[in-house]
């Protein structure tokens, strides 16, 4: 164990960002000490290395953070909270940064979380509230607390979900290889010596691209990095929807047993859909919940700032905050809501055979558009909700939209702004020469210069029973959004049959994900107009309510 007062240089920029953020309370305990490397015993005897940040005269409340990453990575947050009179406990998950045992993602978090809470509750200085905090895998460790006898008094969970597999791995019944590949790469380099780590990070884009193209997909991580983590092979092996292997790793299955929680989500974050499902379940169970959704990708700096402010709000006993606060992308500012989703009116637009988005009810000519899907040259994702930093977020779609395997439908310039809040839906009829097919629908906004960017998208993997060439009616629910389309801009819908590696290419066979030894191309035919109209349904919301524009939401 060692004591130190200095903030690691890697944390100083984030600390300055926290200090300069508006609406933050001033420090009350400027002299803070860090006790590093406390050995907290797990139930099986492994030692979980833990840091304790506090001032000598700190108050009774504690913030608990468990992480598989470098504890120095949250040093800025720990010091900032400790300077406001709170104890902060930061622990490395087993098998990471000196903690004993082997890191097996998800598997040991319930037991290790309970051991840590027992240790914490026994400390003479931990006499007040215990508030767990953090996002992504930090959030996973918090959901795991809810399956044990001891729980925090409150939780602050950013960009995470109770069911890890359903939230980010197997959305739409495919396998979202981009995110686990990027995470495996990051885990594989994080504890290497600085020169080796820097070398690997400089080559990350090339490595991730190489891994995503690798056949079979089970070899993606070795191809990208050289490592062969067991957890990635497990996820590939257990990729069928509903595989019981995942059942013990679904945390907080009883929503009514979850303590009060603040959820921070992002419109461009990989956990978005799963996290909003969690919010709905918590609301249904009567759990006191606050939801904040911003227009950010995974790991954005704004998440930390807002998350720290929310943790301080709990200790300050503030209760007047809105139940839901969302940032309206497209420059619409922040808005307080009583619930998510807010009331809306369905607005329908029909996809026409000549590539337009038009008002329904008009006798549009019927027709069909055919395109070839080739898994050997899979349709690229061009952005989206992924952990991959080189492709995440609202990307320019022009290169993707030039491909023959992407069908485009574009509306007229908008006479006025259009506010969409909720989950758009796409209803279409198509046939494939291969009954095993994917459908990917992306809603974009095209600005006055003709630049098309992602707003939201949805994906679905389909399987028999249908015969080759038999038409099938399909409904695709796009990810939730709060977006303001600007006057003069146009809406655009992309319909394609894949988005690799955001969603692993469909090989056109029943071969498992670990295989893909055969890649079979197919022709997809989209039917339009007549008795088989393709219809986009947008949830339109009131654009007259006042928006608020603080840097940090109150």
């Amino acid at each position: 164990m060692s004591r130190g007062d200095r903030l690691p240089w890697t944390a100083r920029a984030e600390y300055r960002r926290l200090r300069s953020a508006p609406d933050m309370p001033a420090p009350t305990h400027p002299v803070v000490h860090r006790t590093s490397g406390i050995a907290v015993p797990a139930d099986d005897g492994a030692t979980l290395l833990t840091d304790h940040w506090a001032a000598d005269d700190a108050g009774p409340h504690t913030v608990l953070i468990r992480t598989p990453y470098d504890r120095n990575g949250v040093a800025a947050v720990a010091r900032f909270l400790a300077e406001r009179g709170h104890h902060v406990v930061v622990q490395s998950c087993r098998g990471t940064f000196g903690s004993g045992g082997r890191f097996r993602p998800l598997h040991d978090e319930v037991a290790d979380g309970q051991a840590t809470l027992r240790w914490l509750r026994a400390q003479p200085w931990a006499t007040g509230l215990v508030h767990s905090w953090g996002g992504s895998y930090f959030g996973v460790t918090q959901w795991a607390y809810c399956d044990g006898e001891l729980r925090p008094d409150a939780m602050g969970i950013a960009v995470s979900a109770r069911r890890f597999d359903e939230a980010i791995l197997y959305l739409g019944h495919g396998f979202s290889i981009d995110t686990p590949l990027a995470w495996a790469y990051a885990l594989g380099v994080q504890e290497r010596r600085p020169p080796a780590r820097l070398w690997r990070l400089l080559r990350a884009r090339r490595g991730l691209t190489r891994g995503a193209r690798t056949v079979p997909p089970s070899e993606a991580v070795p191809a990208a990095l050289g490592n062969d983590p067991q957890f990635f092979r497990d996820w590939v092996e257990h990729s069928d929807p509903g595989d019981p292997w995942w059942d013990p790793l679904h945390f907080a299955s009883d929503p009514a047993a979850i303590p009060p929680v603040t959820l921070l989500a992002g419109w461009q974050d990989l956990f978005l859909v799963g996290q909003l499902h969690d919010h709905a379940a918590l609301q249904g169970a009567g759990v006191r919940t606050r939801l904040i959704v911003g227009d950010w990708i995974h790991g954005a700096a704004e998440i930390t700032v807002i998350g720290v402010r929310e943790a301080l709000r709990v200790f300050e006993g503030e209760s007047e905050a809105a139940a839901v606060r969302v940032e309206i992308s497209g420059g619409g500012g922040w808005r307080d809501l009583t619930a998510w989703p807010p009331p809306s009116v369905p607005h329908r637009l029909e996809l026409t055979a000549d590539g337009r988005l038009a008002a329904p009810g008009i006798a549009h000519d019927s027709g069909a558009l055919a395109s070839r899907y080739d898994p050997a040259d899979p349709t690229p994702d061009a952005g989206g909700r992924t952990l991959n930093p080189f492709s995440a977020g609202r990307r320019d779609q022009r290169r993707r939209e030039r491909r023959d395997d992407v069908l485009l439908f574009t509306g007229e310039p908008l006479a006025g702004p259009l506010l969409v809040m909720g989950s758009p839906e796409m209803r279409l009829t198509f046939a494939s020469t291969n009954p095993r097919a994917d459908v990917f629908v992306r809603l974009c906004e095209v600005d006055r210069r003709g630049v098309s960017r992602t707003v939201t998208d949805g994906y679905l993997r389909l399987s028999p029973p249908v015969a080759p060439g038999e038409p099938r009616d399909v409904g695709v629910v796009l990810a939730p959004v709060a977006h303001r389309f600007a006057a003069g801009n146009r809406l655009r819908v992309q319909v394609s049959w894949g988005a690799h590696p955001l969603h692993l290419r469909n090989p056109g066979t029943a071969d498992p994900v670990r295989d893909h030894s055969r890649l079979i191309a197919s022709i997809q035919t989209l039917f339009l107009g007549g008795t088989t109209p393709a219809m986009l349904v947008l949830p339109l919301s009131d654009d007259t309510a006042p928006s608020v524009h603080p840097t940090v939401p109150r």
Side-chain angles (χ1 to χ4, degrees), residues 215-217 507 509 511-512 514-519:
V215 176
T509 72
D511 297 339
R514 64 178 179 273
D515 186 359
H516 284 204
S517 58
R518 299 175 294 160
L519 299 174

Side-chain angles (χ1 to χ4, degrees), residues 151-176:
R151 294 176 176 82
D153 299 294
M155 301 192 301
I157 298 179
V159 294
S160 188
R162 294 181 299 156
R163 295 195 168 200
F164 187 89
D165 56 326
E166 296 176 4
I168 67 169
L169 298 181
Y170 311 122
L171 276 175
H173 307 306
F175 181 47
S176 300

Side-chain angles (χ1 to χ4, degrees), residues 447-473:
D447 65 21
R448 295 171 184 262
R449 299 174 300 161
V451 178
S452 174
R453 286 190 173 84
T454 306
V455 175
T456 185
D457 49 49
Y459 162 81
L460 191 61
R461 172 155 294 184
L462 304 168
S463 296
V466 293
E470 179 181 340
R472 62 203 302 175
D473 297 327

Side-chain angles (χ1 to χ4, degrees), residues 120-143:
L120 178 58
R121 296 290 192 184
Q123 302 308 304
W125 39 263
T127 59
L129 297 175
V130 174
H131 182 286
S132 61
W133 183 90
S136 194
Y137 199 88
F138 300 23
V140 170
T141 65
Q142 294 181 72
W143 289 123

Side-chain angles (χ1 to χ4, degrees), residues 42 64 138 354 378:
L64 173 60
F138 300 23
D354 58 353

Side-chain angles (χ1 to χ4, degrees), residues 8 23 25-27 40 49 107 110 119 188 236 247 318 326 385 412 424 429 475 485-486 493 502 504 527 533 553:
D23 202 29
V40 174
L49 294 190
H107 285 270
V110 172
W119 171 84
V236 169
D247 290 348
E318 297 182 20
V326 300
R385 297 179 306 281
E412 295 296 325
T429 301
F485 291 87
V493 168
L502 183 66
L504 179 65
F527 300 102

Side-chain angles (χ1 to χ4, degrees), residues 130 137 171 183 201 298 306 310 343 352 451 480:
V130 174
Y137 199 88
L171 276 175
W183 194 52
L201 291 175
H298 200 79
I306 297 173
E310 290 299 309
T352 69
V451 178

Side-chain angles (χ1 to χ4, degrees), residues 37 47-51 67-73 91-100 103 186-187 189-192 197:
T47 56
L48 306 176
L49 294 190
T50 303
D51 296 349
T67 172
Y69 314 122
D70 189 353
R71 298 191 302 281
N72 282 335
Q91 183 180 90
S92 290
C93 295
R94 67 169 52 225
T96 67
F97 290 92
S99 287
F103 181 52
L187 290 174
V189 305
Q190 68 172 356
E191 294 195 60
R192 298 193 181 202
R197 185 168 67 250

